[in-house]
Amino acid sequence: MKILHITLRGPVTDGWNYQDNMLIKYHKKLGHDVYMLTSKWIWGSDGKMHKTDKDRYDDKDGVHFVRIEIKGKDNFQNKFKRFENVYEEIERISPDFIFAHAAQYLDIVEVGKYVRNNPNVRLVVDCHVDFSNSASNWISKNILHRIIWGWHFRYIAKYADHVYGVLPARVEFLKNIYHVDPQKVSLLVMGADDELVEQALLKDNIRSFRNKYEINETDFLIVSGGKIDKAKWQTLLLLEAVAKNKDEKLRLIIFGSVDESIKDRFMQYIDGRRIQYVGWIDSADSYQFFGAADLVVFPGRHSVFWEEVAGMGKPMICKYWEGTTHVDKGGNVRFLYEDTLEAMQDAIEECKEPEKYTYMCKLANENQYTFRYTEISKSCLPDYYDRG
């Protein structure tokens, strides 16, 4: 089957571990002929967007990339930008199946026109927004999302088999803000790269990692990571809880960037032994950190690392956010309902208790494949859902 993924709302950077990167990789591994239609804008190693001069090429997995120009002023930040030759490029590729990543861009109408003119082509669309990252004020909520992008989602939904929210909160956003037909809306989880999971969980790799950071086999290692800013200040509670814990075998490693506004408070807990901070790491390296952990803690708002860790079969402590509890499969996750030191201390002690910890590990292991991209990539294909 010839599969076309279209990502024009955000940049697609080769080699990253975002959902669109993973789906094209695993659709290719399933034996399909896979294309990615996207912009020429990518993320650079400096954390800023840059324009690439590439237009047509195959990536390392054999996915055919087609990168197209923005019409007029080349401003990727413009919410209402248009792209060159969207319909013509889809027509040239002539796909059997289209996965449109998001519909918050004007050229989604070109995708709809193509499917309308080629009714044998199957289409699915997804949504990556909810109230945690969008619709934060009256104009954004009621004009930009309810009216403008709501119309675009309802338009494309007429031609789609499914419209996916990638979190339960995003499923509700599709229903309640965009007013997409609820019969077409369902959840498509994000997850983990099977290959990187399997490599990170090899016993020799775990042993080597723990030796590197002087973590003994009998130590209880907590790992946390990501972008640590004002919205995830609760990481400071994790640091304080470990620092005050009298168990010398309790260890903590944190990776990621730290916002300058909290960096001084953050660094006061880093002693280089019980609590180690390793700075920013490549996204693929996060698997090694999580793979070596006994417990992973995310005390702030949701990130894609939650699903990555679920796909590794690791127990977690996560902050409770309505619409993001799908990572919990009956007890593999202990949620934090209060942003207090006492709540963090209680959660850590509870998860360290042998019987509780064994139960959490059992459930995490039993449900890990739900969050692996091999399974996720199958679940959104027509030959999968046609079988019922």
Side-chain angles (χ1 to χ4, degrees):
M1 180 165 63
K2 188 181 288 187
I3 299 175
L4 171 61
H5 287 258
I6 302 177
T7 302
L8 293 173
R9 180 174 181 264
V12 177
T13 306
D14 291 5
W16 281 33
N17 289 319
Y18 284 173
Q19 181 223 37
D20 31 20
N21 299 89
M22 290 295 98
L23 286 177
I24 60 175
K25 173 180 178 177
Y26 282 92
H27 281 162
K28 180 66 178 178
K29 284 183 173 297
L30 289 170
H32 300 289
D33 190 14
V34 183
Y35 288 76
M36 167 59 81
L37 178 63
T38 189
S39 77
K40 290 194 171 186
W41 288 88
I42 61 172
W43 288 108
S45 57
D46 58 359
K48 299 178 182 180
M49 282 198 295
H50 299 272
K51 189 177 179 181
T52 178
D53 58 1
K54 293 181 178 180
D55 47 22
R56 301 179 191 275
Y57 63 97
D58 290 354
D59 74 359
K60 64 182 179 59
D61 297 309
V63 174
H64 312 300
F65 267 70
V66 179
R67 292 188 178 273
I68 55 178
E69 297 278 2
I70 295 172
K71 288 183 178 179
K73 186 177 180 181
D74 199 357
N75 178 12
F76 193 84
Q77 302 292 355
N78 177 10
K79 294 185 190 311
F80 305 115
K81 58 188 172 293
R82 300 293 302 272
F83 289 87
E84 299 281 357
N85 304 319
V86 174
Y87 190 97
E88 291 78 8
E89 291 294 351
I90 300 173
E91 190 171 46
R92 185 185 65 78
I93 294 167
S94 187
D96 304 301
F97 173 69
I98 298 174
F99 194 128
H101 295 271
Q104 295 100 336
Y105 57 94
L106 300 180
D107 284 313
I108 194 69
V109 298
E110 301 299 319
V111 181
K113 287 177 187 177
Y114 183 82
V115 177
R116 182 188 65 198
N117 294 337
N118 298 271
N120 291 329
V121 175
R122 309 292 290 272
L123 168 70
V124 299
V125 186
D126 70 5
C127 175
H128 289 253
V129 303
D130 58 42
F131 285 112
S132 73
N133 61 10
S134 299
S136 57
N137 58 57
W138 190 92
I139 292 176
S140 177
K141 177 181 177 181
N142 293 289
I143 305 299
L144 185 61
H145 286 281
R146 282 193 189 277
I147 296 176
I148 299 174
W149 299 139
W151 182 89
H152 284 79
F153 261 100
R154 291 190 297 277
Y155 166 81
I156 200 64
K158 293 187 296 185
Y159 305 105
D161 294 313
H162 290 284
V163 182
Y164 293 114
V166 298
L167 292 174
R170 292 164 190 179
V171 169
E172 295 307 309
F173 202 90
L174 283 165
K175 294 177 181 178
N176 299 327
I177 301 300
Y178 292 149
H179 298 294
V180 176
D181 180 359
Q183 298 299 314
K184 286 195 171 184
V185 176
S186 56
L187 175 67
L188 182 72
V189 299
M190 296 179 284
D193 184 330
D194 300 57
E195 290 182 341
L196 293 180
V197 170
E198 291 165 6
Q199 182 180 10
L201 293 180
L202 291 173
K203 290 183 179 179
D204 286 346
N205 288 341
I206 292 174
R207 187 181 303 111
S208 176
F209 179 94
R210 290 174 75 108
N211 287 340
K212 177 181 177 180
Y213 292 98
E214 299 181 351
I215 309 295
N216 296 324
E217 288 187 12
T218 56
D219 288 337
F220 190 89
L221 175 61
I222 295 174
V223 169
S224 187
K227 185 178 181 181
I228 304 164
D229 54 20
K230 291 180 180 179
K232 295 180 181 178
W233 67 269
Q234 297 91 341
T235 301
L236 297 172
L237 299 175
L238 171 61
L239 288 162
E240 187 176 0
V242 173
K244 290 185 174 180
N245 196 291
K246 298 185 185 304
D247 183 0
E248 287 295 319
K249 292 187 177 297
L250 181 63
R251 307 290 294 275
L252 171 63
I253 295 178
I254 296 182
F255 66 84
S257 60
V258 181
D259 191 88
E260 289 297 325
S261 64
I262 61 172
K263 193 160 190 177
D264 287 344
R265 294 169 62 196
F266 179 95
M267 294 304 298
Q268 72 179 356
Y269 295 106
I270 308 302
D271 62 14
R273 194 188 69 82
R274 285 193 70 204
I275 302 177
Q276 301 182 58
Y277 172 57
V278 300
W280 185 254
I281 63 173
D282 290 339
S283 58
D285 292 337
S286 63
Y287 286 84
Q288 284 295 328
F289 283 81
F290 295 139
D294 296 297
L295 177 70
V296 180
V297 180
F298 296 115
R301 70 182 185 186
H302 175 269
S303 80
V304 294
F305 283 138
W306 292 26
E307 288 89 350
E308 180 180 312
V309 174
M312 300 188 77
K314 294 286 182 174
M316 287 184 277
I317 294 175
C318 297
K319 179 175 174 60
Y320 174 80
W321 289 92
E322 186 176 357
T324 60
T325 59
H326 61 298
V327 291
D328 178 36
K329 295 298 181 180
N332 56 302
V333 178
R334 164 61 156 86
F335 287 106
L336 293 165
Y337 293 90
E338 298 177 359
D339 293 333
T340 65
L341 175 61
E342 293 75 16
M344 180 67 72
Q345 289 172 321
D346 290 345
I348 291 173
E349 287 305 314
E350 181 182 326
C351 293
K352 283 177 60 191
E353 196 277 320
E355 186 175 342
K356 171 72 172 180
Y357 181 72
T358 299
Y359 181 69
M360 292 180 74
C361 288
K362 176 178 180 293
L363 287 173
N365 277 298
E366 288 175 351
N367 291 283
Q368 61 184 306
Y369 293 101
T370 301
F371 296 94
R372 298 274 188 94
Y373 269 110
T374 291
E375 293 303 315
I376 297 167
S377 65
K378 290 177 184 176
S379 69
C380 61
L381 294 178
D383 61 347
Y384 179 89
Y385 54 73
D386 283 349
R387 290 196 297 269

